[in-house]
Amino acid sequence: MFDTLQERLSGILDKLTGRGALSEADVDTAMREVRRALLEADVALDVVRGFIDKVKERAVGAEVVKSVTPGQMVVKIVHDAMVEILGSEGSALNLRASPPVPILMVGLQGSGKTTTTAKIAKRLQEREKRKVLMASLDTRRPAAQEQLAILGTQTGVETLPIIKGQTPIEIAKRAMSEARRGGFDVVMLDTAGRLHIDEELLAEAAAVRDIAKPNETLLVADALTGQDAVNLAKSFDEKIGITGIVLTRIDGDGRGGAALSMRGVTGKPIKLMGTGEKLDGLEDFHPQRIAGRILGMGDVVSLVEKA
Amino acid sequence: AKSSRSLTGSISAIFTKRKLDQATLEELEDALIQADLGVETTGRIIQAVSAGRYDKEIEPEEVKSILAGEVAKVLKPVEVPFNFGTQKPFVVLVVGVNGAGKTTTIGKLGAIAAREGHSVVLAACDTFRAAAIEQLTVWGTRIGAKVISRPTGADAAGLAFDAMKEAKADGADILFIDTAGRLQNKANLMAELDKVVRVIKKQDETAPHAVLLVLDATTGQNAISQADVFTKVAGVTGLIMTKLDGTARGGILVAIAERFKLPIHAVGVGEQIEDLQPFDAEAFSRAIAGLAE
Ligand SMILES: Nc1nc2c(ncn2[C@@H]2O[C@H](COP(=O)(O)OP(=O)(O)OP(=O)(O)O)[C@@H](O)[C@H]2O)c(=O)[nH]1
Ligand SMILES: Nc1nc2c(ncn2[C@@H]2O[C@H](COP(=O)(O)OP(=O)(O)OP(=O)(O)O)[C@@H](O)[C@H]2O)c(=O)[nH]1
Ligand SMILES: [Mg+2]
Ligand SMILES: [Mg+2]
């Protein structure tokens, strides 16, 4: 749908400039296109601004190596800066604590918390041989607790028995004591979806956090999120305190700018990506892949790397 | 919506200078970008705002009204109330990506239909997601509607076919068909949806009488492609935007309105049964422009 940044930059830059170092004027022209490309990829405006400043500083005066065009050079600089912000590969879940290790899942309505809870539990149980207990603290959405129970059956992960009428706080306490009693390694707490401006429900999540004292509090967010990504990530981090982000619906064809927005604004690592509805649709985060996707580009990076 | 606060701040701040100059226009542009209108649509709206007014003295409130007016010009033609037709049953197919709010919206719309005195039947054609059937069943109980379902894993199109039959036999007024969430780039899932539509038509050529695409206000530019592909595959007749009770402003609707001219029927503003409102182009535009309601 969009022509790639690469094409646009070749259009404007490669005509203007000969070889040698990138001039300030060249870089300014290029940055207008970079800005546009990032906004079209749903990177939040404030994050775009900071990013452009950073890239500009690096690009002005950069020597253009012989085998590439100035456009490719700029794309490479942009790409590298983006990967830097997105963080390094495979920032694994931190399970270093005496068991049961609690993991708290939070996020907006419908972002994929329950599904991701089951995916992570399945992975920990199958790959890392941990004994996992899942508990749904979602007493609000119709059939939310049943959903997790079914996913437990599908994955062979135990779920905390449902007791109707209990509050999320009561369920959290019961989950912790059951996990201790049952000798579980990990206890996953799935919560109801909540808006990042819903003070009452944020306070409830904070209360759950204080009871469970989670090792990880993961913000589950949709990779298709637009400009609101910064608001939601900032609020969840401020009000509950997140340790990482899981980006769902990476299997969609969204450009994924929300990754840069949320990472940029919270500094918290993106730990995992959801890549499907099925319960094996979970992958480690690949900053290179996401950077390439945000920029809508193919193999420019490897091209420049070989040069 | 409640989403106008931060915009109000940023726009008012500009108007110490009270001139529609480049800096002012850029700040208006930022506001639209942050509301998810997208670069192109934002550019067009800003152009319309500045046309004939550039460098003129202008009151802050006035420029906001002008901005709202330009947005409303795009949205007003697609502001179309949702009406249940007289076909029996009137078949409403609800589609969209995962987690957008399809099932909840059916509950809310079904409640309105029931309140208007229609007999309502719900078909649980999300045969994939865990507890999707149970979720719809809870809504069915809330609104007093019968729910037709089959065990998880059953063929969605087969169920749609049977539901059509059963709703007819029951003499139901309105049949809502819930579908599984699907991303529009998944060919196999879109083919399944296409099949659902085809089997519905087998029972009644004029059905589905409404195909509602549910869009999440938090979604960015990808919503354009959602509108495009779902329309091609399922013949979307109208849009409902959910989750406008958050801080997302849903400005992508402006871009979608420009491009596809799809009717916008209603907006979701919460998780409860009453949290569905008719789409109001003017109020929506004023919120985007940062004007208090
Ligand atoms: N395509 C795709 N769908 C996903 C992914 N993760 C979750 N889903 C789907 O998204 C929808 C919502 O997922 P849930 O896990 O119920 O989301 P939730 O955050 O628990 O929702 P609430 O509890 O209502 O707030 C379901 O249809 C899931 O199948 C993903 O990575 N890719
Ligand atoms: N805040 C808010 N939440 C909403 C709104 N509409 C739906 N939700 C919530 O969003 C989540 C997902 O809603 P569902 O109706 O299950 O969405 P769906 O499209 O049927 O999801 P799948 O069937 O899994 O694809 C639930 O937690 C709903 O309560 C709304 O207008 N505002
Ligand atoms: Mg859930
Ligand atoms: Mg549903």
Side-chain angles (χ1 to χ4, degrees), chain B residues 180-198:
Chain B
R182 68 197 77 225
L183 294 169
Q184 74 279 13
N185 62 328
K186 302 220 163 155
N188 58 333
L189 297 182
M190 295 312 279
E192 180 195 83
L193 184 60
D194 175 63
K195 194 170 156 207
V196 168
V197 175
R198 277 189 284 122

PDB file of all heavy atoms in Angstrom, chain B residues 180-198:
ATOM      1  N   ALA B 180     -15.904 -15.582  14.480  1.00  0.00           N
ATOM      2  CA  ALA B 180     -14.596 -15.571  15.136  1.00  0.00           C
ATOM      3  C   ALA B 180     -13.800 -14.371  14.648  1.00  0.00           C
ATOM      4  O   ALA B 180     -13.931 -13.955  13.498  1.00  0.00           O
ATOM      5  CB  ALA B 180     -13.844 -16.857  14.803  1.00  0.00           C
ATOM      6  N   GLY B 181     -12.980 -13.826  15.541  1.00  0.00           N
ATOM      7  CA  GLY B 181     -12.078 -12.758  15.117  1.00  0.00           C
ATOM      8  C   GLY B 181     -11.098 -13.305  14.096  1.00  0.00           C
ATOM      9  O   GLY B 181     -10.670 -14.453  14.194  1.00  0.00           O
ATOM     10  N   ARG B 182     -10.789 -12.493  13.100  1.00  0.00           N
ATOM     11  CA  ARG B 182      -9.810 -12.938  12.096  1.00  0.00           C
ATOM     12  C   ARG B 182      -9.085 -11.734  11.555  1.00  0.00           C
ATOM     13  O   ARG B 182      -9.678 -10.676  11.323  1.00  0.00           O
ATOM     14  CB  ARG B 182     -10.490 -13.741  10.985  1.00  0.00           C
ATOM     15  CG  ARG B 182     -11.410 -12.942  10.086  1.00  0.00           C
ATOM     16  CD  ARG B 182     -12.351 -13.839   9.300  1.00  0.00           C
ATOM     17  NE  ARG B 182     -13.437 -14.311  10.162  1.00  0.00           N
ATOM     18  CZ  ARG B 182     -13.869 -15.574  10.196  1.00  0.00           C
ATOM     19  NH1 ARG B 182     -13.340 -16.483   9.414  1.00  0.00           N
ATOM     20  NH2 ARG B 182     -14.847 -15.915  11.017  1.00  0.00           N
ATOM     21  N   LEU B 183      -7.788 -11.896  11.360  1.00  0.00           N
ATOM     22  CA  LEU B 183      -7.003 -10.825  10.751  1.00  0.00           C
ATOM     23  C   LEU B 183      -7.224 -10.890   9.250  1.00  0.00           C
ATOM     24  O   LEU B 183      -7.261 -11.969   8.666  1.00  0.00           O
ATOM     25  CB  LEU B 183      -5.523 -11.000  11.101  1.00  0.00           C
ATOM     26  CG  LEU B 183      -5.199 -10.826  12.591  1.00  0.00           C
ATOM     27  CD1 LEU B 183      -3.767 -11.270  12.886  1.00  0.00           C
ATOM     28  CD2 LEU B 183      -5.404  -9.377  13.028  1.00  0.00           C
ATOM     29  N   GLN B 184      -7.351  -9.710   8.653  1.00  0.00           N
ATOM     30  CA  GLN B 184      -7.758  -9.650   7.244  1.00  0.00           C
ATOM     31  C   GLN B 184      -6.697 -10.157   6.281  1.00  0.00           C
ATOM     32  O   GLN B 184      -6.969 -10.364   5.115  1.00  0.00           O
ATOM     33  CB  GLN B 184      -8.184  -8.216   6.893  1.00  0.00           C
ATOM     34  CG  GLN B 184      -7.054  -7.204   6.743  1.00  0.00           C
ATOM     35  CD  GLN B 184      -6.563  -6.663   8.071  1.00  0.00           C
ATOM     36  OE1 GLN B 184      -6.882  -7.182   9.133  1.00  0.00           O
ATOM     37  NE2 GLN B 184      -5.766  -5.593   8.019  1.00  0.00           N
ATOM     38  N   ASN B 185      -5.471 -10.353   6.772  1.00  0.00           N
ATOM     39  CA  ASN B 185      -4.430 -10.865   5.876  1.00  0.00           C
ATOM     40  C   ASN B 185      -4.344 -12.397   5.884  1.00  0.00           C
ATOM     41  O   ASN B 185      -3.474 -12.977   5.265  1.00  0.00           O
ATOM     42  CB  ASN B 185      -3.063 -10.268   6.249  1.00  0.00           C
ATOM     43  CG  ASN B 185      -2.628 -10.635   7.655  1.00  0.00           C
ATOM     44  OD1 ASN B 185      -3.461 -10.795   8.542  1.00  0.00           O
ATOM     45  ND2 ASN B 185      -1.346 -10.773   7.875  1.00  0.00           N
ATOM     46  N   LYS B 186      -5.273 -13.036   6.610  1.00  0.00           N
ATOM     47  CA  LYS B 186      -5.237 -14.501   6.648  1.00  0.00           C
ATOM     48  C   LYS B 186      -6.223 -15.081   5.645  1.00  0.00           C
ATOM     49  O   LYS B 186      -7.438 -15.101   5.880  1.00  0.00           O
ATOM     50  CB  LYS B 186      -5.592 -14.982   8.046  1.00  0.00           C
ATOM     51  CG  LYS B 186      -4.646 -14.411   9.081  1.00  0.00           C
ATOM     52  CD  LYS B 186      -4.297 -15.436  10.099  1.00  0.00           C
ATOM     53  CE  LYS B 186      -3.072 -15.038  10.862  1.00  0.00           C
ATOM     54  NZ  LYS B 186      -3.032 -15.661  12.173  1.00  0.00           N
ATOM     55  N   ALA B 187      -5.675 -15.541   4.545  1.00  0.00           N
ATOM     56  CA  ALA B 187      -6.499 -15.965   3.422  1.00  0.00           C
ATOM     57  C   ALA B 187      -7.468 -17.082   3.806  1.00  0.00           C
ATOM     58  O   ALA B 187      -8.646 -17.045   3.439  1.00  0.00           O
ATOM     59  CB  ALA B 187      -5.604 -16.413   2.275  1.00  0.00           C
ATOM     60  N   ASN B 188      -6.998 -18.050   4.579  1.00  0.00           N
ATOM     61  CA  ASN B 188      -7.871 -19.187   4.901  1.00  0.00           C
ATOM     62  C   ASN B 188      -9.057 -18.751   5.763  1.00  0.00           C
ATOM     63  O   ASN B 188     -10.185 -19.199   5.564  1.00  0.00           O
ATOM     64  CB  ASN B 188      -7.069 -20.315   5.570  1.00  0.00           C
ATOM     65  CG  ASN B 188      -6.371 -19.850   6.848  1.00  0.00           C
ATOM     66  OD1 ASN B 188      -6.047 -18.661   6.995  1.00  0.00           O
ATOM     67  ND2 ASN B 188      -6.153 -20.754   7.761  1.00  0.00           N
ATOM     68  N   LEU B 189      -8.788 -17.852   6.701  1.00  0.00           N
ATOM     69  CA  LEU B 189      -9.883 -17.394   7.574  1.00  0.00           C
ATOM     70  C   LEU B 189     -10.855 -16.493   6.822  1.00  0.00           C
ATOM     71  O   LEU B 189     -12.060 -16.502   7.078  1.00  0.00           O
ATOM     72  CB  LEU B 189      -9.312 -16.670   8.794  1.00  0.00           C
ATOM     73  CG  LEU B 189      -8.443 -17.528   9.729  1.00  0.00           C
ATOM     74  CD1 LEU B 189      -7.966 -16.719  10.925  1.00  0.00           C
ATOM     75  CD2 LEU B 189      -9.224 -18.757  10.213  1.00  0.00           C
ATOM     76  N   MET B 190     -10.338 -15.726   5.875  1.00  0.00           N
ATOM     77  CA  MET B 190     -11.220 -14.882   5.072  1.00  0.00           C
ATOM     78  C   MET B 190     -12.056 -15.752   4.136  1.00  0.00           C
ATOM     79  O   MET B 190     -13.218 -15.449   3.860  1.00  0.00           O
ATOM     80  CB  MET B 190     -10.431 -13.822   4.304  1.00  0.00           C
ATOM     81  CG  MET B 190      -9.716 -12.792   5.185  1.00  0.00           C
ATOM     82  SD  MET B 190     -10.744 -12.052   6.489  1.00  0.00           S
ATOM     83  CE  MET B 190     -11.637 -10.799   5.583  1.00  0.00           C
ATOM     84  N   ALA B 191     -11.467 -16.845   3.670  1.00  0.00           N
ATOM     85  CA  ALA B 191     -12.227 -17.773   2.825  1.00  0.00           C
ATOM     86  C   ALA B 191     -13.358 -18.405   3.634  1.00  0.00           C
ATOM     87  O   ALA B 191     -14.459 -18.617   3.127  1.00  0.00           O
ATOM     88  CB  ALA B 191     -11.296 -18.850   2.259  1.00  0.00           C
ATOM     89  N   GLU B 192     -13.079 -18.685   4.896  1.00  0.00           N
ATOM     90  CA  GLU B 192     -14.121 -19.245   5.760  1.00  0.00           C
ATOM     91  C   GLU B 192     -15.282 -18.250   5.904  1.00  0.00           C
ATOM     92  O   GLU B 192     -16.461 -18.616   5.847  1.00  0.00           O
ATOM     93  CB  GLU B 192     -13.545 -19.566   7.147  1.00  0.00           C
ATOM     94  CG  GLU B 192     -14.568 -20.159   8.110  1.00  0.00           C
ATOM     95  CD  GLU B 192     -14.098 -20.123   9.562  1.00  0.00           C
ATOM     96  OE1 GLU B 192     -14.258 -19.064  10.220  1.00  0.00           O
ATOM     97  OE2 GLU B 192     -13.586 -21.137  10.038  1.00  0.00           O
ATOM     98  N   LEU B 193     -14.931 -16.985   6.035  1.00  0.00           N
ATOM     99  CA  LEU B 193     -15.960 -15.951   6.168  1.00  0.00           C
ATOM    100  C   LEU B 193     -16.783 -15.843   4.889  1.00  0.00           C
ATOM    101  O   LEU B 193     -18.012 -15.720   4.922  1.00  0.00           O
ATOM    102  CB  LEU B 193     -15.297 -14.606   6.507  1.00  0.00           C
ATOM    103  CG  LEU B 193     -16.238 -13.439   6.780  1.00  0.00           C
ATOM    104  CD1 LEU B 193     -17.149 -13.726   7.967  1.00  0.00           C
ATOM    105  CD2 LEU B 193     -15.439 -12.156   7.038  1.00  0.00           C
ATOM    106  N   ASP B 194     -16.084 -15.910   3.783  1.00  0.00           N
ATOM    107  CA  ASP B 194     -16.759 -15.882   2.485  1.00  0.00           C
ATOM    108  C   ASP B 194     -17.779 -17.022   2.390  1.00  0.00           C
ATOM    109  O   ASP B 194     -18.904 -16.847   1.915  1.00  0.00           O
ATOM    110  CB  ASP B 194     -15.690 -16.005   1.386  1.00  0.00           C
ATOM    111  CG  ASP B 194     -16.287 -16.100   0.008  1.00  0.00           C
ATOM    112  OD1 ASP B 194     -16.939 -15.124  -0.405  1.00  0.00           O
ATOM    113  OD2 ASP B 194     -16.135 -17.153  -0.655  1.00  0.00           O
ATOM    114  N   LYS B 195     -17.384 -18.159   2.914  1.00  0.00           N
ATOM    115  CA  LYS B 195     -18.269 -19.322   2.878  1.00  0.00           C
ATOM    116  C   LYS B 195     -19.493 -19.111   3.775  1.00  0.00           C
ATOM    117  O   LYS B 195     -20.614 -19.491   3.417  1.00  0.00           O
ATOM    118  CB  LYS B 195     -17.482 -20.562   3.328  1.00  0.00           C
ATOM    119  CG  LYS B 195     -18.176 -21.865   3.022  1.00  0.00           C
ATOM    120  CD  LYS B 195     -17.243 -23.052   3.257  1.00  0.00           C
ATOM    121  CE  LYS B 195     -18.024 -24.317   3.526  1.00  0.00           C
ATOM    122  NZ  LYS B 195     -17.277 -25.288   4.344  1.00  0.00           N
ATOM    123  N   VAL B 196     -19.272 -18.495   4.922  1.00  0.00           N
ATOM    124  CA  VAL B 196     -20.391 -18.189   5.820  1.00  0.00           C
ATOM    125  C   VAL B 196     -21.419 -17.326   5.079  1.00  0.00           C
ATOM    126  O   VAL B 196     -22.616 -17.584   5.107  1.00  0.00           O
ATOM    127  CB  VAL B 196     -19.893 -17.469   7.109  1.00  0.00           C
ATOM    128  CG1 VAL B 196     -21.061 -16.878   7.900  1.00  0.00           C
ATOM    129  CG2 VAL B 196     -19.098 -18.441   7.987  1.00  0.00           C
ATOM    130  N   VAL B 197     -20.912 -16.303   4.381  1.00  0.00           N
ATOM    131  CA  VAL B 197     -21.822 -15.418   3.642  1.00  0.00           C
ATOM    132  C   VAL B 197     -22.574 -16.206   2.567  1.00  0.00           C
ATOM    133  O   VAL B 197     -23.781 -16.048   2.395  1.00  0.00           O
ATOM    134  CB  VAL B 197     -21.041 -14.242   3.010  1.00  0.00           C
ATOM    135  CG1 VAL B 197     -21.952 -13.380   2.140  1.00  0.00           C
ATOM    136  CG2 VAL B 197     -20.391 -13.380   4.091  1.00  0.00           C
ATOM    137  N   ARG B 198     -21.853 -17.076   1.869  1.00  0.00           N
ATOM    138  CA  ARG B 198     -22.493 -17.838   0.783  1.00  0.00           C
ATOM    139  C   ARG B 198     -23.604 -18.764   1.288  1.00  0.00           C
ATOM    140  O   ARG B 198     -24.656 -18.851   0.672  1.00  0.00           O
ATOM    141  CB  ARG B 198     -21.436 -18.616  -0.011  1.00  0.00           C
ATOM    142  CG  ARG B 198     -20.770 -17.728  -1.075  1.00  0.00           C
ATOM    143  CD  ARG B 198     -19.876 -18.499  -2.012  1.00  0.00           C
ATOM    144  NE  ARG B 198     -18.609 -18.844  -1.366  1.00  0.00           N
ATOM    145  CZ  ARG B 198     -18.155 -20.074  -1.219  1.00  0.00           C
ATOM    146  NH1 ARG B 198     -18.846 -21.107  -1.668  1.00  0.00           N
ATOM    147  NH2 ARG B 198     -16.998 -20.290  -0.632  1.00  0.00           N
TER     148      ARG B 198
END
